[in-house]
Amino acid sequence: MKKYTYTEKKDTRSGFGAGLHEAGKRNENVVALCADLKGSLKMDDFANEFPDRYIQVGIAEANMIGMAAGLTIGGKIPFTGTFANFSTGRVYDQIRQSVAYSNKNVKICASHAGLTLGEDGATHQILEDIGLMKMLPGMTVINPCDYNQTKAATLAILEHEGPVYLRFGRPSVPIFTPADQDFQIGKAWMVNEGKDVTIIATGHMVWKAIEAGEELEKLGIDAEIINIHTIKPLDEEAILKSVQKTGCVVTCEEHNKFGGLGESVARLLTTQFPAPQEFVAVNDSFGESGTPDELMTKYGLDTVNIVEAVQAVLKRKK
Protein backbone atom coordinates (compact mmCIF):
# COMPACT_ATOMS: atom_id res chain seq x y z
CA MET A 1 0.00 0.00 0.00
CA LYS A 2 1.42 3.35 -1.05
CA LYS A 3 1.86 5.55 1.98
CA TYR A 4 0.14 8.93 2.08
CA THR A 5 0.84 11.49 4.77
CA TYR A 6 -0.28 15.03 5.39
CA THR A 7 0.98 17.97 7.40
CA GLU A 8 -2.15 20.09 7.26
CA LYS A 9 -5.92 19.83 7.14
CA LYS A 10 -7.94 22.42 5.28
CA ASP A 11 -11.47 22.75 3.94
CA THR A 12 -12.06 22.17 0.25
CA ARG A 13 -14.15 25.36 0.03
CA SER A 14 -10.94 27.30 0.73
CA GLY A 15 -9.38 25.52 -2.24
CA PHE A 16 -12.24 26.87 -4.34
CA GLY A 17 -11.71 30.38 -2.98
CA ALA A 18 -8.01 30.27 -3.81
CA GLY A 19 -8.74 28.87 -7.27
CA LEU A 20 -11.38 31.50 -7.99
CA HIS A 21 -9.01 34.29 -6.98
CA GLU A 22 -6.33 32.91 -9.30
CA ALA A 23 -8.88 32.44 -12.09
CA GLY A 24 -9.80 36.11 -11.76
CA LYS A 25 -6.15 37.06 -12.21
CA ARG A 26 -5.80 34.85 -15.27
CA ASN A 27 -8.90 35.93 -17.13
CA GLU A 28 -10.61 39.30 -16.95
CA ASN A 29 -13.88 37.76 -18.13
CA VAL A 30 -14.29 35.78 -14.89
CA VAL A 31 -17.24 37.08 -12.88
CA ALA A 32 -18.27 35.78 -9.45
CA LEU A 33 -21.86 35.78 -8.23
CA CYS A 34 -22.78 34.93 -4.64
CA ALA A 35 -26.09 34.35 -2.85
CA ASP A 36 -25.22 36.08 0.42
CA LEU A 37 -22.55 33.55 1.46
CA LYS A 38 -19.28 35.23 0.47
CA GLY A 39 -17.49 34.21 3.66
CA SER A 40 -18.75 30.63 3.61
CA LEU A 41 -17.72 30.23 -0.04
CA LYS A 42 -14.33 31.88 0.61
CA MET A 43 -14.91 34.42 -2.15
CA ASP A 44 -13.51 37.36 -0.16
CA ASP A 45 -10.15 37.59 -1.93
CA PHE A 46 -11.81 37.69 -5.35
CA ALA A 47 -14.37 40.28 -4.20
CA ASN A 48 -11.70 42.49 -2.64
CA GLU A 49 -9.39 42.48 -5.67
CA PHE A 50 -12.05 42.54 -8.37
CA PRO A 51 -15.04 44.43 -6.91
CA ASP A 52 -16.33 45.33 -10.37
CA ARG A 53 -16.52 41.63 -11.23
CA TYR A 54 -18.19 40.49 -8.02
CA ILE A 55 -22.00 40.49 -7.79
CA GLN A 56 -23.69 40.02 -4.44
CA VAL A 57 -27.12 38.74 -5.45
CA GLY A 58 -28.50 38.21 -1.96
CA ILE A 59 -30.69 35.28 -0.97
CA ALA A 60 -32.05 34.95 -4.50
CA GLU A 61 -30.48 31.82 -5.94
CA ALA A 62 -32.83 31.51 -8.91
CA ASN A 63 -32.02 35.06 -9.96
CA MET A 64 -28.32 34.28 -9.58
CA ILE A 65 -28.50 31.40 -12.06
CA GLY A 66 -30.49 33.49 -14.54
CA MET A 67 -28.02 36.35 -14.26
CA ALA A 68 -25.11 33.97 -14.76
CA ALA A 69 -26.69 32.53 -17.90
CA GLY A 70 -27.19 36.04 -19.27
CA LEU A 71 -23.62 37.07 -18.55
CA THR A 72 -22.29 34.29 -20.78
CA ILE A 73 -23.98 35.89 -23.78
CA GLY A 74 -21.61 38.82 -23.43
CA GLY A 75 -18.59 36.55 -23.20
CA LYS A 76 -18.26 36.52 -19.43
CA ILE A 77 -17.37 33.37 -17.48
CA PRO A 78 -19.62 33.35 -14.41
CA PHE A 79 -18.85 31.33 -11.27
CA THR A 80 -21.87 31.10 -8.96
CA GLY A 81 -21.47 30.36 -5.26
CA THR A 82 -23.79 29.12 -2.54
CA PHE A 83 -24.45 25.94 -0.53
CA ALA A 84 -24.89 22.76 -2.59
CA ASN A 85 -28.50 22.39 -1.46
CA PHE A 86 -29.36 25.85 -2.77
CA SER A 87 -27.10 25.49 -5.83
CA THR A 88 -29.08 22.52 -7.12
CA GLY A 89 -32.35 21.56 -5.43
CA ARG A 90 -33.62 25.11 -4.99
CA VAL A 91 -32.80 26.21 -8.54
CA TYR A 92 -33.03 23.05 -10.61
CA ASP A 93 -35.55 24.51 -13.02
CA GLN A 94 -33.36 27.54 -13.73
CA ILE A 95 -30.28 25.37 -14.24
CA ARG A 96 -32.14 23.01 -16.55
CA GLN A 97 -33.83 25.67 -18.66
CA SER A 98 -31.38 28.58 -18.67
CA VAL A 99 -28.00 26.83 -18.37
CA ALA A 100 -28.03 23.17 -19.43
CA TYR A 101 -30.62 23.35 -22.22
CA SER A 102 -28.80 26.31 -23.76
CA ASN A 103 -25.33 24.87 -23.00
CA LYS A 104 -24.28 28.08 -21.28
CA ASN A 105 -20.72 28.44 -19.98
CA VAL A 106 -21.78 28.73 -16.31
CA LYS A 107 -19.71 27.28 -13.46
CA ILE A 108 -22.03 26.25 -10.62
CA CYS A 109 -19.79 26.07 -7.55
CA ALA A 110 -21.37 24.43 -4.51
CA SER A 111 -20.03 24.29 -0.98
CA HIS A 112 -21.24 22.46 2.15
CA ALA A 113 -22.23 19.35 0.18
CA GLY A 114 -23.17 16.03 1.74
CA LEU A 115 -23.49 15.17 5.43
CA THR A 116 -20.36 17.01 6.54
CA LEU A 117 -22.17 20.32 6.54
CA GLY A 118 -22.85 19.01 10.03
CA GLU A 119 -24.84 20.83 12.64
CA ASP A 120 -27.07 22.79 10.23
CA GLY A 121 -28.96 19.55 9.66
CA ALA A 122 -30.99 17.91 6.94
CA THR A 123 -32.58 21.06 5.52
CA HIS A 124 -29.15 22.41 4.55
CA GLN A 125 -27.41 19.13 3.73
CA ILE A 126 -27.97 17.57 0.33
CA LEU A 127 -27.33 13.97 -0.69
CA GLU A 128 -29.06 14.05 -4.08
CA ASP A 129 -27.12 16.76 -5.91
CA ILE A 130 -24.75 14.56 -7.92
CA GLY A 131 -27.72 12.62 -9.28
CA LEU A 132 -29.63 15.79 -10.12
CA MET A 133 -26.73 17.35 -11.98
CA LYS A 134 -25.31 14.33 -13.78
CA MET A 135 -28.70 13.68 -15.41
CA LEU A 136 -28.61 17.04 -17.18
CA PRO A 137 -27.34 16.65 -20.77
CA GLY A 138 -23.99 18.33 -21.29
CA MET A 139 -23.36 19.00 -17.59
CA THR A 140 -19.86 18.20 -16.27
CA VAL A 141 -19.85 17.05 -12.61
CA ILE A 142 -16.70 17.32 -10.47
CA ASN A 143 -16.19 16.35 -6.81
CA PRO A 144 -12.54 16.88 -5.70
CA CYS A 145 -11.00 15.33 -2.59
CA ASP A 146 -8.84 17.95 -0.86
CA TYR A 147 -7.77 21.60 -0.85
CA ASN A 148 -5.15 21.29 -3.57
CA GLN A 149 -7.36 19.27 -5.89
CA THR A 150 -10.26 21.69 -5.44
CA LYS A 151 -8.06 24.64 -6.34
CA ALA A 152 -6.75 22.79 -9.38
CA ALA A 153 -10.28 21.80 -10.42
CA THR A 154 -11.47 25.41 -10.15
CA LEU A 155 -8.73 26.51 -12.52
CA ALA A 156 -9.43 23.59 -14.87
CA ILE A 157 -13.11 24.47 -15.27
CA LEU A 158 -12.10 28.01 -16.22
CA GLU A 159 -10.62 26.55 -19.41
CA HIS A 160 -13.55 24.18 -20.01
CA GLU A 161 -16.28 25.41 -22.33
CA GLY A 162 -19.76 24.48 -21.11
CA PRO A 163 -21.76 24.12 -17.89
CA VAL A 164 -20.02 22.62 -14.85
CA TYR A 165 -21.14 21.57 -11.40
CA LEU A 166 -18.23 21.77 -8.94
CA ARG A 167 -18.99 20.22 -5.54
CA PHE A 168 -16.92 20.74 -2.38
CA GLY A 169 -17.32 20.84 1.38
CA ARG A 170 -17.13 22.56 4.72
CA PRO A 171 -14.91 20.45 7.05
CA SER A 172 -11.14 20.50 7.24
CA VAL A 173 -9.72 17.36 5.61
CA PRO A 174 -6.15 16.14 5.00
CA ILE A 175 -4.24 17.73 2.11
CA PHE A 176 -2.51 14.84 0.38
CA THR A 177 -2.54 15.62 -3.36
CA PRO A 178 0.23 17.70 -4.98
CA ALA A 179 -0.10 21.47 -5.08
CA ASP A 180 1.20 21.47 -8.67
CA GLN A 181 -1.02 18.64 -9.95
CA ASP A 182 -2.21 18.47 -13.53
CA PHE A 183 -5.98 18.25 -13.06
CA GLN A 184 -7.60 16.70 -16.11
CA ILE A 185 -11.38 16.76 -16.29
CA GLY A 186 -12.68 13.25 -16.90
CA LYS A 187 -9.44 11.47 -15.97
CA ALA A 188 -9.24 9.29 -12.86
CA TRP A 189 -6.32 9.55 -10.45
CA MET A 190 -4.70 6.25 -9.43
CA VAL A 191 -4.15 6.46 -5.67
CA ASN A 192 -2.78 2.95 -5.18
CA GLU A 193 -2.31 -0.01 -7.50
CA GLY A 194 -3.50 -3.38 -6.20
CA LYS A 195 -4.74 -6.75 -7.37
CA ASP A 196 -7.49 -8.03 -5.05
CA VAL A 197 -10.26 -5.42 -5.10
CA THR A 198 -10.96 -2.04 -6.68
CA ILE A 199 -12.04 0.79 -4.37
CA ILE A 200 -13.46 3.77 -6.26
CA ALA A 201 -13.94 6.88 -4.12
CA THR A 202 -14.84 10.52 -4.63
CA GLY A 203 -14.63 13.70 -2.56
CA HIS A 204 -14.08 13.37 1.18
CA MET A 205 -14.30 9.58 0.86
CA VAL A 206 -10.95 9.34 -0.93
CA TRP A 207 -9.02 9.82 2.32
CA LYS A 208 -11.32 7.29 4.01
CA ALA A 209 -10.47 4.85 1.22
CA ILE A 210 -6.75 5.39 1.83
CA GLU A 211 -7.24 4.66 5.51
CA ALA A 212 -9.23 1.55 4.60
CA GLY A 213 -6.48 0.43 2.23
CA GLU A 214 -3.98 0.54 5.09
CA GLU A 215 -6.26 -1.56 7.28
CA LEU A 216 -6.88 -4.03 4.47
CA GLU A 217 -3.14 -4.42 3.95
CA LYS A 218 -2.91 -5.67 7.55
CA LEU A 219 -5.48 -8.33 6.59
CA GLY A 220 -3.46 -9.40 3.56
CA ILE A 221 -5.78 -7.69 1.06
CA ASP A 222 -4.18 -5.68 -1.73
CA ALA A 223 -6.60 -2.89 -2.69
CA GLU A 224 -6.45 -0.79 -5.83
CA ILE A 225 -7.76 2.69 -4.96
CA ILE A 226 -8.97 5.14 -7.59
CA ASN A 227 -10.00 8.75 -7.07
CA ILE A 228 -12.86 9.56 -9.41
CA HIS A 229 -12.98 13.34 -9.07
CA THR A 230 -14.97 13.71 -12.30
CA ILE A 231 -18.23 11.82 -12.05
CA LYS A 232 -19.38 13.02 -15.47
CA PRO A 233 -17.79 12.41 -17.89
CA LEU A 234 -16.78 9.17 -16.17
CA ASP A 235 -13.34 7.69 -16.86
CA GLU A 236 -14.76 4.40 -18.08
CA GLU A 237 -11.44 3.14 -19.41
CA ALA A 238 -9.71 3.44 -16.02
CA ILE A 239 -12.58 1.76 -14.18
CA LEU A 240 -12.87 -1.14 -16.60
CA LYS A 241 -9.14 -1.71 -16.66
CA SER A 242 -9.04 -1.92 -12.88
CA VAL A 243 -12.11 -4.11 -12.37
CA GLN A 244 -11.03 -6.48 -15.15
CA LYS A 245 -7.85 -6.98 -13.11
CA THR A 246 -9.37 -7.29 -9.62
CA GLY A 247 -12.75 -8.81 -10.45
CA CYS A 248 -14.77 -6.77 -7.93
CA VAL A 249 -15.39 -3.19 -6.82
CA VAL A 250 -16.48 -1.05 -3.88
CA THR A 251 -17.72 2.48 -4.57
CA CYS A 252 -17.53 5.16 -1.86
CA GLU A 253 -19.34 8.50 -1.84
CA GLU A 254 -20.84 11.07 0.53
CA HIS A 255 -24.15 10.92 -1.32
CA ASN A 256 -27.32 8.89 -1.54
CA LYS A 257 -26.67 5.43 -2.98
CA PHE A 258 -29.34 6.23 -5.54
CA GLY A 259 -28.16 8.42 -8.39
CA GLY A 260 -24.53 8.93 -7.46
CA LEU A 261 -21.10 7.64 -8.46
CA GLY A 262 -21.92 4.06 -7.50
CA GLU A 263 -24.82 3.88 -9.91
CA SER A 264 -22.69 5.29 -12.73
CA VAL A 265 -20.10 2.57 -12.10
CA ALA A 266 -22.83 -0.08 -11.91
CA ARG A 267 -24.27 1.03 -15.25
CA LEU A 268 -20.84 0.77 -16.84
CA LEU A 269 -20.12 -2.68 -15.42
CA THR A 270 -23.58 -4.04 -16.25
CA THR A 271 -23.15 -3.17 -19.91
CA GLN A 272 -19.45 -3.98 -20.36
CA PHE A 273 -18.02 -6.17 -17.60
CA PRO A 274 -20.41 -7.55 -14.95
CA ALA A 275 -18.67 -7.88 -11.58
CA PRO A 276 -19.65 -7.92 -7.89
CA GLN A 277 -20.08 -4.43 -6.44
CA GLU A 278 -20.73 -3.06 -2.96
CA PHE A 279 -21.87 0.49 -2.23
CA VAL A 280 -20.59 2.67 0.62
CA ALA A 281 -23.10 5.51 0.52
CA VAL A 282 -26.08 6.89 2.42
CA ASN A 283 -28.90 4.36 2.33
CA ASP A 284 -31.90 6.31 0.95
CA SER A 285 -32.07 8.77 3.83
CA PHE A 286 -31.95 12.44 4.68
CA GLY A 287 -29.28 13.57 7.12
CA GLU A 288 -29.61 15.20 10.54
CA SER A 289 -27.78 17.58 12.84
CA GLY A 290 -24.45 16.44 14.29
CA THR A 291 -20.73 16.84 13.93
CA PRO A 292 -19.29 15.73 10.59
CA ASP A 293 -17.50 12.75 12.15
CA GLU A 294 -20.59 11.64 14.04
CA LEU A 295 -22.71 11.79 10.91
CA MET A 296 -20.21 9.98 8.72
CA THR A 297 -20.08 7.16 11.26
CA LYS A 298 -23.84 6.96 11.80
CA TYR A 299 -24.65 6.89 8.09
CA GLY A 300 -22.07 4.26 7.23
CA LEU A 301 -19.41 6.41 5.57
CA ASP A 302 -16.46 5.53 7.79
CA THR A 303 -13.22 3.66 7.20
CA VAL A 304 -14.61 0.56 8.92
CA ASN A 305 -17.57 0.53 6.52
CA ILE A 306 -15.23 0.44 3.53
CA VAL A 307 -13.26 -2.44 5.05
CA GLU A 308 -16.49 -4.37 5.68
CA ALA A 309 -17.72 -3.69 2.14
CA VAL A 310 -14.44 -5.00 0.71
CA GLN A 311 -14.71 -8.17 2.78
CA ALA A 312 -18.30 -8.65 1.56
CA VAL A 313 -17.48 -8.14 -2.10
CA LEU A 314 -14.48 -10.50 -1.90
CA LYS A 315 -16.77 -13.24 -0.62
CA ARG A 316 -19.07 -12.66 -3.58
CA LYS A 317 -16.13 -12.77 -5.99
CA LYS A 318 -15.08 -16.15 -4.67
Side-chain angles (χ1 to χ4, degrees):
M1 175 71 189
K2 185 177 179 180
K3 300 302 178 186
Y4 286 87
T5 59
Y6 67 92
T7 58
E8 182 182 8
K9 288 185 176 182
K10 206 166 185 179
D11 49 312
T12 49
R13 58 180 170 152
S14 289
F16 163 69
L20 177 66
H21 187 211
E22 179 63 28
K25 294 178 182 178
R26 293 186 184 185
N27 193 318
E28 63 182 9
N29 285 318
V30 171
V31 178
L33 301 91
C34 185
D36 201 35
L37 288 167
K38 180 176 68 171
S40 292
L41 270 289
K42 305 299 183 181
M43 300 171 85
D44 304 78
D45 287 345
F46 183 96
N48 291 336
E49 184 160 349
F50 310 110
D52 294 339
R53 290 193 270 145
Y54 174 75
I55 303 171
Q56 179 54 267
V57 179
I59 305 174
E61 294 87 355
N63 289 347
M64 180 174 68
I65 295 298
M67 291 167 65
L71 283 165
T72 65
I73 298 172
K76 302 302 181 184
I77 307 173
F79 286 67
T80 68
T82 186
F83 289 178
N85 194 10
F86 310 140
S87 289
T88 57
R90 179 171 287 182
V91 295
Y92 195 72
D93 178 62
Q94 285 73 25
I95 293 172
R96 183 183 188 275
Q97 303 297 90
S98 299
V99 176
Y101 178 68
S102 304
N103 197 37
K104 292 291 193 295
N105 192 31
V106 174
K107 317 307 177 185
I108 302 165
C109 303
S111 182
H112 293 57
L115 289 170
T116 48
L117 170 53
E119 290 84 350
D120 286 356
T123 57
H124 283 55
Q125 297 159 355
I126 191 164
L127 297 164
E128 316 93 67
D129 54 318
I130 289 174
L132 287 169
M133 301 309 284
K134 79 175 187 178
M135 287 190 293
L136 289 169
M139 182 68 71
T140 294
V141 179
I142 300 175
N143 186 39
C145 65
D146 71 356
Y147 172 93
N148 286 341
Q149 194 166 84
T150 307
K151 181 179 179 180
T154 305
L155 292 169
I157 67 175
L158 168 64
E159 306 300 329
H160 175 82
E161 183 69 27
V164 175
Y165 178 59
L166 178 64
R167 181 191 208 246
F168 41 93
R170 175 190 184 189
S172 295
V173 294
I175 301 174
F176 61 96
T177 69
D180 60 348
Q181 64 191 273
D182 177 22
F183 186 96
Q184 297 184 48
I185 295 173
K187 293 296 182 183
W189 179 52
M190 179 63 72
V191 178
N192 184 70
E193 294 188 10
K195 66 180 187 304
D196 296 329
V197 60
T198 299
I199 302 175
I200 296 174
T202 187
H204 295 148
M205 295 301 291
V206 176
W207 183 254
K208 299 286 187 183
I210 291 171
E211 291 179 332
E214 293 173 348
E215 293 302 312
L216 291 165
E217 184 179 41
K218 297 174 185 176
L219 301 174
I221 299 170
D222 185 15
E224 180 146 295
I225 304 172
I226 301 175
N227 171 14
I228 294 289
H229 50 65
T230 307
I231 295 168
K232 182 186 176 187
L234 191 67
D235 192 342
E236 297 185 350
E237 181 180 355
I239 293 169
L240 287 171
K241 181 179 178 181
S242 178
V243 180
Q244 286 168 353
K245 175 174 62 173
T246 66
C248 60
V249 61
V250 172
T251 52
C252 311
E253 57 192 312
E254 189 185 345
H255 189 270
N256 197 324
K257 70 178 183 180
F258 297 112
L261 169 65
E263 282 203 346
S264 290
V265 172
R267 175 198 53 79
L268 171 65
L269 297 179
T270 298
T271 56
Q272 299 204 38
F273 188 77
Q277 179 177 348
E278 292 287 332
F279 297 74
V280 176
V282 176
N283 186 20
D284 194 24
S285 172
F286 291 104
E288 62 182 291
S289 181
T291 68
D293 287 343
E294 288 172 341
L295 294 171
M296 293 289 272
T297 297
K298 177 170 181 176
Y299 288 87
L301 305 181
D302 228 337
T303 302
V304 65
N305 302 111
I306 301 176
V307 172
E308 290 173 353
V310 167
Q311 292 171 324
V313 84
L314 285 172
K315 289 179 181 178
R316 292 174 57 199
K317 182 174 80 164
K318 293 178 180 177

